[in-house]
Amino acid sequence: MQYHLNGFVPGDPDIAPAGPARAVGENGLPSHVDVIIAGCGPAGLCLAAQLARYPNISSMIVEPKSGPMEKDVEEGISEMPHVLINQARIHDMFLDVMKNAPTRLEPDYNLKIADLDINPNGGDYPVTVHLERTDADRSGRKEVVHAKYVVGCDGARSTVRRAIGGKLHGDAAHQAWGVMDILVNTDFPDIRMKSIIQSQNDGSILVLPREGGYLVRLYVEMDKLSETERVADRGLSEQDIIAKAQRILHPHTLDVKEVVWWSIYEIGHRLTDRFDDVPEDQISTRAPRVFVAGDACHTHSPKAGQGMNVSMGDTFNLGWKLISVLEGHSDPMLLATYSEERRATAKALIDFDHQWSRAVSAKSDDGQDKVPVIQRKFVEGGRFTAGLTVCYETSVITGKNDHQSLASGLPMGERFHSAPVVRLTDAKPMELGHAIEVGHRWTLFAFAPDGDPGDTTSAMWSVLDRLQNDPASPIKRCIEAGQDPDSLLDLRVIYQQGFRDIEWGSLHPALRPAKGKYGLTDYEKVFCTDGTGNPDIYDLRGIDRTQGALILVRPDQYISQILPLSQTDVLFSHLNSVWS
């Protein structure tokens, strides 16, 4: 994280200087906003946290409840460990980001969206949002706010989805499950291990240890439901979950001392037919104004931990596009790519959940040498649950894979898979992917071919010349507009040599740009290997050492282009088709 660019500012660098306060009327609400978000779940808060960092974007997030939620793998797949974390803590992290951002955005609790009116020809604020108070002393009172965009993160019974004519389609497994966080004594030896227990006749339990050493979450397979029955009809309680868990675990004992939280649900696999408000016959001519995300557009079982993950993926995809449009960098038609991309992802999620839900309930294969069905499915699904199988198709923001051979370990359209590097100027080992900044800015990772980094006749030097001086280059455009050179495109170069073998002063001037009001030098544009000869990022991600590669990464960390160093014209054309 870089700070002090425009002068020394004491205190916590995560707390940004406050922007203009939100203008409100007598009802405490603004009359007009750029974006209204419905719902303070992970999808809504993820989007709000992104928008809050931009003081020129006015937004609000409404939630019918009176306050926030109560507190309470394959090797090498990621540099991050596989952990289970309380959803409320994720919410709190987003709330902290919002509170510390320039807009100081906080949720408007005790408010829900009751209805929407959308007028595509209604000027700058074409969506009229009808809000309803939910607090006891003002329950039912109506309010109106006009918005440029509305995002419905308001759950499976989404009002926003209904307002745009969307419906959930799919099927139900007619199977009830109970989930509970408990403090418990048991003689089951693996209670602190992530495990799956399958009984002979009574069903299955998923064991997920929680934080603190004592808390544990159990997912308990309950009873089958009839074709017309809903789980609510059974009137089940936490005692029913405990009793069923005890039967499944027998002859081991389960002495529950405290139930911290519990819920009973039925498995359903449903997908909406509308991710935004644009009719099919107008998709190519009209930009969307209303979107749905998270459970509002896809519902499934929670056992693979994908509800929160995929929901946040929805709004992480949408967030940078809204920012780019509202900041004036991109045409509003960019927003049409949200539905294209996330519908395919949601479909893959539903298909995966069908398989996973059945595997959890399936009996193990007979024979000692066979791998149990559930274990096999867990391993097979590891890349999916880590988010590495999402692959966006060719579009205005994702190119073709004509040059995939230049970076065989970074598949076109998939999330940029980080790997270790060393930052040149301070010899700091780090993950290259951590250089990507959340927001609207794109990142260009330029992997150098072998050869002297200071060679002024090299292919890399030519690329850097064009990035700095070509009128078609976004870096040149930003410089001429009096902005920092990396305001739109963040250039990062990776050399094959170790940090002791590269002379900083011999590198191209584009790699030590002047930024901010003082024209301070940015020292964090260049990375290299550790020089030990061990497998490095070129080996780990299949980068062609002879030719190098240009890897263009979208703001949501998905790979947009893979190009040879000779095709900067294609790079500029691609970027200028995204930016206005």
Side-chain angles (χ1 to χ4, degrees), residues 542-564:
I543 308 298
D544 190 308
R545 290 187 179 274
T546 302
Q547 301 182 67
L550 299 176
I551 312 292
L552 180 65
V553 180
R554 300 165 14 166
D556 57 357
Q557 302 180 18
Y558 282 81
I559 297 173
S560 178
Q561 280 280 17
I562 299 175
L563 296 169

Side-chain angles (χ1 to χ4, degrees), residues 147-227:
K148 292 181 179 177
Y149 300 100
V150 174
V151 184
C153 307
D154 48 345
R157 295 178 175 84
S158 171
T159 299
V160 176
R161 184 188 66 239
R162 186 174 64 248
I164 63 174
K167 296 180 180 179
L168 289 175
H169 300 277
D171 58 21
H174 305 294
Q175 175 67 58
W177 281 77
V179 55
M180 56 183 178
D181 288 334
I182 54 177
L183 298 173
V184 63
N185 284 329
T186 178
D187 59 0
F188 178 66
D190 293 330
I191 197 66
R192 296 306 303 169
M193 299 283 287
K194 181 171 59 180
S195 56
I196 298 174
I197 304 161
Q198 292 182 316
S199 68
Q200 184 67 32
N201 301 309
D202 288 304
S204 304
I205 293 177
L206 278 69
V207 179
L208 296 174
R210 292 291 305 272
E211 64 277 8
Y214 300 100
L215 190 66
V216 64
R217 172 168 293 185
L218 300 183
Y219 286 95
V220 182
E221 187 176 8
M222 304 295 284
D223 298 326
K224 278 282 187 181
L225 303 174
S226 68
E227 292 287 332

Side-chain angles (χ1 to χ4, degrees), residues 82-132:
H82 184 175
V83 297
L84 179 73
I85 187 168
N86 187 340
Q87 183 168 313
R89 292 193 177 188
I90 297 293
H91 290 190
D92 284 345
M93 292 174 189
F94 283 134
L95 289 167
D96 286 343
V97 170
M98 293 157 56
K99 181 175 62 178
N100 295 334
T103 61
R104 302 296 193 263
L105 179 62
E106 295 189 13
D108 286 286
Y109 293 112
N110 295 309
L111 271 177
K112 68 178 182 180
I113 291 182
D115 202 1
L116 302 174
D117 294 322
I118 308 166
N119 180 0
N121 301 314
D124 290 339
Y125 298 88
V127 188
T128 301
V129 183
H130 301 276
L131 300 168
E132 183 178 319

Side-chain angles (χ1 to χ4, degrees), residues 422-425 493 495 504 507 511 523-528:
V422 175
R423 195 162 60 201
L424 176 63
T425 52
V493 172
Y495 289 107
W504 165 255
L507 299 179
L511 301 181
Y523 291 96
E524 300 193 355
K525 297 298 187 184
V526 184
F527 301 88
C528 51

Side-chain angles (χ1 to χ4, degrees), residues 77 341 345 383-384 386-394 397-399 401 404 407-418 436 541 551-554 556-562:
I77 204 167
E341 294 185 332
T345 301
R383 296 182 66 82
F384 183 93
L388 287 176
T389 59
V390 173
C391 184
Y392 295 137
E393 298 295 327
T394 302
I397 53 176
T398 303
N401 62 352
Q404 185 67 70
S408 60
L410 294 172
M412 173 64 70
E414 293 188 10
R415 177 167 61 83
F416 180 80
H417 196 172
S418 185
I436 300 173
R541 301 296 171 255
I551 312 292
L552 180 65
V553 180
R554 300 165 14 166
D556 57 357
Q557 302 180 18
Y558 282 81
I559 297 173
S560 178
Q561 280 280 17
I562 299 175

